[in-house]
Amino acid sequence: MIIKKIALAVLLGALGTNVQAAEDFQVEDIQVKGLQRVALGAALTHIPFNIGDTLNEFRISQSIKALYRSGHFSDIAVSRDGDRVIYRVQERATISDIIFDGNSDLKDEQLIESLDGSDIRVGETLDKTVISGIEQGLEDFYHSVGKYNADVKAEITHLPRNRVNLKFVFSEGDAAAIQQINIVGNEVFSDEELLERIELTFDSPWWDFMAQDRYQKQTLQGDMETISSYYLDRGYLRFKMDSTQVSMTPNKESVYIALNVTEGEQYTVSEVDFIGDLAGFDNTIRAINPLSKDKLYNGAEVTYTEELISKFLGRYGYAYPKVVTIPEINDEDKTVKLSISVDPGKRIYVNRINIKGHNVTADRVIRREMRQMEGAWLSNSQVESSKAWIARLPYVETVEFETNQVPGEDDLVDVDFDVKEQASGSFTAGIGYGSQTQLSLNAGIQQNNFLGTGNRLAFNINTVSYSRSISVSYTDPYFTVDGVSLGGQIYYNEFDAGSANLEKYENQTYGIGVNLGFPIDEYVRLNFGVGYKSNGITRLQSYEQIQSFYDIYSNPDKPDEKLTFETFDLSASISRSTLNRGTFPTAGSRQSLSAKITTPNSDVNYFKFNLDTKWYFPLSRDQRWSVLTRFQAGYGNGYSTVGEHDQLLPFWENFRAGGSDTLRGFESNIVGPRAVYRRATEFSNPTGGVNCCFSKDGDFITISPRSVGGNAMAIGGVELIVPTPFLDEGMANSVRSSLFVDVGNVWDTEFDLDDYRDLDEDEFLKIKDFSDPGSFRSSAGLSVQWLSPMGPMIFSFAKALKKEDDDDTSFFSFNIGKTF
């Protein structure tokens, strides 16, 4: 009994109590003193006895433990006044603020989330017992990324009304540099061959800023897997990574890594067999199986086979198949028998498809892009295809999905799509300055998701210095439930070519057009259109390239008379798109081939072809690094004749290049053939009469600095899409940065340099061969695109790498309202 009392006294002393030793007694009253934030009733609920109960020392000690477990108190003392029990408590302080200082590797949001998991948050009481564990956990994280000198300290500042500020002070330091990586036990493959395949490096040159020469535990584990896979993919089935040693220098600034391996010998596949239930697809699964006998064992091929069979079964509703390859190794003849075990599981059906996150877009607009249907079996390919189609919508920023099993049902799932919308309407504008165009402005309104219907409505008024136009267009991409689209456009335009870096003329145009689109399959569409256009040409300068055209249609008696042309055109195009997103794609491709021809009853007869293709190749798994290759080509010409003259492509339909849409770094429309003016030399009549004759051999040639365009064009480019520096990850889908190289040219296949062979040599040398497609231009630079609330903004910095002497260049351009 004495020993028990001593033990109890020690316990009570350790808990900070001073309850008096006494015999059993009946409680007359219970008092709790020192309460501030905690209500008396809440404190009494944690005391396991009531007034009138008989108490002893053991029950009092139990009440102290219960009060501590409540989490409200940092110190508790118990005393007895007669038959009254008095608790004197000190409440835990409330956290007023949490501050982080010195952290760069860990964001504040990550730290707050981590602390929240330990019940450390503003407004809650502070439990000092968990602080040291949090400090150690954070330091362990820094050690895992090679920062062994990192230090994390929690500072508590007491405030009035029993409140505290909790401040975490970080001293991160630098990650330990890798001095050397040694691989021990390898004979088949050299150190160099293995080390060049892993991420961690050492002794990197100063200019290799992407080298991973700082130690990170996770990266090392990944590199160990890479080396293991390298051996397994080449038949070394018994390869083992025996051990790994990471040695640190005393100053904790450098590490040495040693990997001990056992290579083993190569194994050949002796047989491939299937066991289990192939769900009735025996012949198909055996046919698509890439594994075969008498080949070296290949771990990657085995994994690929398992995934291939799983995906195949997933297309037919077996959403959770189990495909496992069981190797039977024969060490005597170094062979392995592969038995592929297939358990398809139950066929899973879709109960409901739920969509959330679309606040503007109507539900049916999203659902019409679905390839997976409710009530049908769950097909992984159809669900992925649905995600891709939704992501291509220009008013959708991101889309994710997950499948959730219906409670109580083992063969039913709900597919939940989470859509994040982006601005579907835009105020389009542009501003620029060039040596020829001077200041230019334009404005317009476009809505790609009109009233949430998914239809596109655009109303544009353009007041650029060289053009004034107004247009209204409307497109319904689902005019029928089968995906047939219907669109139309009405437009009016006044164009001053002389202010747009083109040879001088003015063109007043108005027209109307209607088009229909038909889906061929998931990726390919056909479009057909019909249109009417009227062109009124005035102030036309009669230069050499259009002299024959001018002679056909002009009135010699009224050379300044307006030329009017009415045309009816038919158009057709085929397009294919596998892009992963409608805006700022990072993977996939898009190709488009279009043709337009005017009808024979038109005033001018011509045709045009256009090819446009883009390919995106992701370089990283998160697709933040990607390569874009693009190519655009066009050709046009006239058909039929007018009198003795062959019809040509009208000059206002010529292709042009230069500017942010085609060749960045060059002024708008500046690239292409120049106007050639040929003027004869007058001389006096020997008889003393007026000037009457012209000397053809003495003609003068003048080359205009302005372009006239051409009937052929080829433009290409390569862009390296990179993460935008100093930008939050949440803006990754709204801002794009890229390094680019643009190359292209516009030329005139009807231009014949031999027509000028009769000129004097000095005059002939002034003329360039404008039919030469090899006279290309090129530029390189940086582009930043931002999907702002007003619409896409493009900032381009470009340097012309190859240009002609009379080309006007532009180092900086800024546009609003059009993506490149």
Side-chain angles (χ1 to χ4, degrees):
M1 186 66 179
I2 296 175
I3 295 176
K4 290 183 179 179
K5 288 185 177 181
I6 293 174
L8 178 60
V10 172
L11 174 63
L12 296 179
L15 294 174
T17 65
N18 60 353
V19 66
Q20 299 172 354
E23 299 298 330
D24 294 356
F25 67 97
Q26 189 173 20
V27 179
E28 181 182 297
D29 190 20
I30 302 173
Q31 297 180 3
V32 182
K33 297 184 178 181
L35 295 176
Q36 298 180 18
R37 178 178 51 83
V38 181
L40 176 61
L44 292 175
T45 59
H46 296 286
I47 299 176
F49 58 81
N50 298 309
I51 295 174
D53 291 351
T54 300
L55 289 189
N56 55 29
E57 294 160 340
F58 176 75
R59 295 190 68 184
I60 291 176
S61 68
Q62 291 297 105
S63 70
I64 294 173
K65 294 178 182 178
L67 286 172
Y68 271 116
R69 282 196 299 269
S70 72
H72 297 307
F73 309 108
S74 59
D75 188 52
I76 303 171
V78 184
S79 62
R80 175 182 170 188
D81 183 8
D83 291 336
R84 291 184 299 165
V85 179
I86 302 172
Y87 292 87
R88 290 179 173 83
V89 299
Q90 181 177 342
E91 294 182 354
R92 286 180 177 172
T94 302
I95 300 174
S96 176
D97 194 11
I98 300 176
I99 305 168
F100 305 106
D101 182 31
N103 56 305
S104 59
D105 287 350
L106 289 173
K107 295 183 178 180
D108 289 0
E109 294 78 8
Q110 294 174 295
L111 292 169
I112 290 174
E113 183 179 353
S114 176
L115 294 176
D116 190 71
S118 301
D119 293 327
I120 302 295
R121 61 181 73 91
V122 174
E124 298 290 337
T125 57
L126 175 62
D127 186 357
K128 296 181 181 178
T129 60
V130 303
I131 295 299
S132 60
I134 293 173
E135 292 173 336
Q136 186 60 49
L138 291 172
E139 289 183 2
D140 289 343
F141 165 78
Y142 283 109
H143 293 172
S144 70
V145 296
K147 296 190 174 184
Y148 292 102
N149 287 317
D151 181 64
V152 182
K153 294 297 181 185
E155 299 177 356
I156 300 175
T157 304
H158 292 274
L159 303 173
R161 301 191 304 278
N162 198 28
R163 296 176 301 121
V164 295
N165 280 345
L166 181 58
K167 181 178 181 180
F168 289 91
V169 180
F170 295 80
S171 177
E172 294 181 333
D174 294 325
I178 301 174
Q179 291 296 321
Q180 193 169 354
I181 302 176
N182 295 314
I183 301 177
V184 181
N186 56 308
E187 296 179 357
V188 178
F189 303 112
S190 65
D191 288 3
E192 293 76 13
E193 190 172 356
L194 296 175
L195 291 176
E196 70 180 10
R197 282 165 174 79
I198 65 176
E199 290 189 46
L200 293 179
T201 61
F202 66 95
D203 196 24
S204 302
W206 65 268
W207 45 264
D208 190 359
F209 58 91
M210 296 188 67
Q212 185 71 282
D213 56 359
R214 296 288 175 173
Y215 173 73
Q216 291 195 20
K217 183 178 180 180
Q218 293 87 345
T219 306
L220 176 60
Q221 292 174 342
D223 287 344
M224 293 165 60
E225 290 292 332
T226 299
I227 293 175
S228 296
S229 298
Y230 188 74
Y231 276 92
L232 290 174
D233 294 349
R234 286 154 182 80
Y236 294 91
L237 189 56
R238 294 293 194 185
F239 173 83
K240 290 191 302 180
M241 184 73 67
D242 297 320
S243 62
T244 304
Q245 291 88 35
V246 180
S247 304
M248 191 186 314
T249 57
N251 60 8
K252 298 182 180 181
E253 294 180 356
S254 303
V255 297
Y256 293 83
I257 300 174
L259 306 176
N260 298 282
V261 303
T262 298
E263 294 178 323
E265 298 186 36
Q266 286 181 309
Y267 284 74
T268 303
V269 177
S270 61
E271 184 180 352
V272 180
D273 191 19
F274 288 89
I275 59 177
D277 180 10
L278 302 187
F281 298 105
D282 303 53
N283 294 334
T284 304
I285 290 178
R286 293 180 187 276
I288 65 175
N289 167 40
L291 297 174
S292 60
K293 58 184 296 185
D294 299 329
K295 291 173 58 178
L296 283 177
Y297 175 84
N298 188 315
E301 197 170 65
V302 170
T303 302
Y304 171 74
T305 302
E306 294 172 349
E307 293 177 350
L308 181 65
I309 296 173
S310 297
K311 288 182 178 179
F312 174 78
L313 293 172
R315 293 174 56 187
Y316 296 95
Y318 299 98
Y320 308 109
K322 296 179 181 178
V323 182
V324 181
T325 303
I326 304 171
E328 298 179 27
I329 302 175
N330 188 331
D331 289 321
E332 293 183 2
D333 59 4
K334 300 298 182 291
T335 61
V336 56
K337 176 184 176 182
L338 301 179
S339 298
I340 304 175
S341 173
V342 181
D343 179 9
K346 281 193 172 184
R347 178 170 275 180
I348 307 299
Y349 292 84
V350 176
N351 177 51
R352 284 193 58 81
I353 296 176
N354 303 310
I355 306 172
K356 64 178 182 179
H358 55 304
N359 300 318
V360 176
T361 308
D363 189 79
R364 63 177 179 83
V365 174
I366 303 294
R367 288 188 179 274
R368 69 191 184 190
E369 304 297 334
M370 291 292 175
R371 270 51 189 170
Q372 173 68 61
M373 297 291 105
E374 292 178 343
W377 65 55
L378 177 66
S379 171
N380 52 19
S381 61
Q382 294 296 329
V383 175
E384 289 289 347
S385 180
S386 300
K387 175 185 175 181
W389 274 87
I390 296 172
R392 291 189 192 113
L393 296 174
Y395 38 87
V396 171
E397 181 176 338
T398 60
V399 57
E400 299 295 339
F401 73 87
E402 61 180 9
T403 56
N404 298 306
Q405 196 155 2
V406 177
E409 304 289 344
D410 59 357
D411 62 347
L412 287 178
V413 296
D414 290 336
V415 183
D416 299 326
F417 283 85
D418 189 1
V419 175
K420 182 180 179 182
E421 295 176 307
Q422 65 185 10
S424 59
S426 63
F427 166 74
T428 62
I431 183 171
Y433 185 86
S435 59
Q436 297 291 332
T437 61
Q438 303 300 313
L439 185 65
S440 61
L441 301 169
N442 64 76
I445 296 176
Q446 177 175 305
Q447 175 58 259
N448 291 322
N449 189 16
F450 182 61
L451 299 179
T453 62
N455 299 340
R456 179 181 179 272
L457 173 67
F459 177 78
N460 288 287
I461 298 177
N462 190 311
T463 58
V464 182
S465 61
Y466 53 81
S467 176
R468 293 182 298 275
S469 66
I470 182 172
S471 66
V472 180
S473 63
Y474 188 82
T475 302
D476 183 353
Y478 278 85
F479 180 65
T480 71
V481 294
D482 297 325
V484 175
S485 63
L486 174 65
Q489 182 185 27
I490 301 175
Y491 56 90
Y492 174 81
N493 175 259
E494 294 179 359
F495 181 70
D496 180 4
S499 299
N501 287 326
L502 297 170
E503 197 57 25
K504 186 177 296 184
Y505 70 89
E506 293 183 1
N507 186 2
Q508 186 182 66
T509 307
Y510 59 87
I512 185 172
V514 179
N515 61 78
L516 280 170
F518 301 88
I520 302 302
D521 58 27
E522 292 289 286
Y523 309 107
V524 181
R525 290 186 67 86
L526 283 176
N527 287 275
F528 300 95
V530 59
Y532 164 79
K533 181 190 291 186
S534 173
N535 290 277
I537 307 298
T538 57
R539 301 182 63 187
L540 177 62
Q541 302 294 315
S542 178
Y543 49 91
E544 284 289 302
Q545 289 97 317
I546 65 166
Q547 188 62 50
S548 58
F549 181 90
Y550 187 80
D551 291 341
I552 295 173
Y553 297 103
S554 66
N555 185 345
D557 298 328
K558 299 179 179 179
D560 296 329
E561 184 179 38
K562 181 179 181 179
L563 302 180
T564 302
F565 303 92
E566 291 187 344
T567 57
F568 300 88
D569 61 73
L570 303 175
S571 62
S573 67
I574 181 171
S575 61
R576 178 181 182 273
S577 176
T578 60
L579 298 177
N580 62 336
R581 284 201 295 267
T583 305
F584 289 170
T586 55
S589 66
R590 187 182 189 282
Q591 297 81 38
S592 175
L593 176 63
S594 62
K596 182 177 75 171
I597 186 170
T598 59
T599 58
N601 62 322
S602 299
D603 290 338
V604 286
N605 301 137
Y606 65 91
F607 61 87
K608 291 181 74 173
F609 292 97
N610 281 280
L611 171 67
D612 191 1
T613 178
K614 292 182 179 180
W615 295 81
Y616 290 86
F617 302 95
L619 301 179
S620 59
R621 289 186 177 180
D622 60 6
Q623 298 187 358
R624 297 185 66 192
W625 292 78
S626 186
V627 171
L628 162 64
T629 61
R630 59 183 182 85
F631 178 72
Q632 183 180 1
Y635 175 76
N637 216 325
Y639 73 92
S640 80
T641 60
V642 177
E644 299 178 354
H645 299 278
D646 292 332
Q647 295 216 42
L648 302 174
L649 181 69
F651 58 88
W652 61 83
E653 291 286 346
N654 278 348
F655 297 103
R656 305 157 185 167
S660 60
D661 290 344
T662 51
L663 286 171
R664 289 162 286 190
F666 292 86
E667 286 289 349
S668 177
N669 301 325
I670 199 65
V671 175
R674 303 296 198 261
V676 178
Y677 288 95
R678 181 170 181 167
R679 293 180 174 85
T681 303
E682 298 178 350
F683 61 94
S684 299
N685 189 327
T687 62
V690 297
N691 295 343
C692 64
C693 305
F694 300 91
S695 172
K696 188 173 183 180
D697 294 338
D699 286 354
F700 285 108
I701 294 296
T702 302
I703 306 297
S704 172
R706 294 188 175 98
S707 173
V708 296
N711 70 329
M713 174 190 67
I715 295 174
V718 178
E719 292 194 44
L720 174 62
I721 300 170
V722 301
T724 305
F726 315 113
L727 190 69
D728 187 86
E729 291 184 3
M731 295 287 290
N733 292 324
S734 300
V735 179
R736 165 167 288 184
S737 300
S738 62
L739 304 172
F740 63 84
V741 175
D742 292 343
V743 180
N745 190 26
V746 173
W747 65 98
D748 183 359
T749 63
E750 298 297 317
F751 184 85
D752 190 351
L753 189 60
D754 290 336
D755 291 341
Y756 304 92
R757 295 288 181 183
D758 58 339
L759 291 170
D760 292 339
E761 183 178 357
D762 291 342
E763 296 301 311
F764 177 76
L765 292 176
K766 293 180 182 180
I767 305 175
K768 298 178 182 179
D769 187 0
F770 296 124
S771 66
D772 179 15
S775 183
F776 65 90
R777 278 78 158 177
S778 64
S779 63
L782 166 68
S783 177
V784 179
Q785 303 177 44
W786 173 36
L787 293 179
S788 73
M790 291 191 301
M793 291 188 177
I794 307 174
F795 306 85
S796 297
F797 303 86
K799 171 69 174 178
L801 303 178
K802 183 179 184 299
K803 66 184 187 71
E804 299 294 325
D805 294 338
D806 50 359
D807 287 343
D808 289 327
T809 60
S810 175
F811 175 72
F812 171 74
S813 63
F814 163 57
N815 286 329
I816 304 177
K818 183 178 289 187
T819 57
F820 184 78

